[in-house]
Amino acid sequence: MANQGEAESTFFEKERDKLAREITAGFEDLLSSTNGLNRKLEEVLGMTKEYDTIASLWSSFTDLMKQQPEPDASDERQGLPGTGGHIVGPTR
């Protein structure tokens, strides 16, 4: 009977060790995936900062254009020759 008890405990220990290895492998995979996710999040945050810079540049350009006075209708030209917008006709 002692041999049978030792065989059962040996089976139990083998199964325990097997499960412990599977759990360890699972945690290693989880850690690897989490590290990959962190790298991607850092990339996204870096890109967001770049877009903030571009957005502020366009915002200042838009504000500058809003400050420009509107051209008078009398100063309006018909277009530039060679661009397809030039209309040949009597002058005003």
Side-chain angles (χ1 to χ4, degrees), residues 3-22:
N3 285 340
Q4 193 176 22
E6 288 177 13
E8 288 177 12
S9 65
T10 304
F11 174 75
F12 171 76
E13 289 173 356
K14 287 180 182 178
E15 286 297 310
R16 181 189 64 193
D17 291 343
K18 177 183 158 190
L19 291 173
R21 282 191 302 272
E22 288 177 7

Side-chain angles (χ1 to χ4, degrees), residues 5-87:
E6 288 177 13
E8 288 177 12
S9 65
T10 304
F11 174 75
F12 171 76
E13 289 173 356
K14 287 180 182 178
E15 286 297 310
R16 181 189 64 193
D17 291 343
K18 177 183 158 190
L19 291 173
R21 282 191 302 272
E22 288 177 7
I23 290 170
T24 302
F27 276 123
E28 289 173 356
D29 289 342
L30 178 64
L31 180 62
S32 175
S33 297
T34 303
N35 287 337
L37 177 63
N38 283 338
R39 284 191 295 275
K40 293 296 180 187
L41 287 173
E42 288 173 357
E43 288 176 18
V44 168
L45 290 175
M47 289 173 57
T48 303
K49 290 176 185 175
E50 292 175 15
Y51 287 126
D52 285 343
T53 305
I54 294 170
S56 67
L57 177 65
W58 278 107
S59 176
S60 61
F61 175 74
T62 304
D63 293 340
L64 180 66
M65 293 304 294
K66 286 179 183 176
Q67 293 173 0
Q68 297 289 328
E70 292 289 325
D72 293 337
S74 61
D75 292 341
E76 190 174 311
R77 295 184 180 161
Q78 296 295 322
L80 296 174
T83 61
H86 182 70
I87 299 173

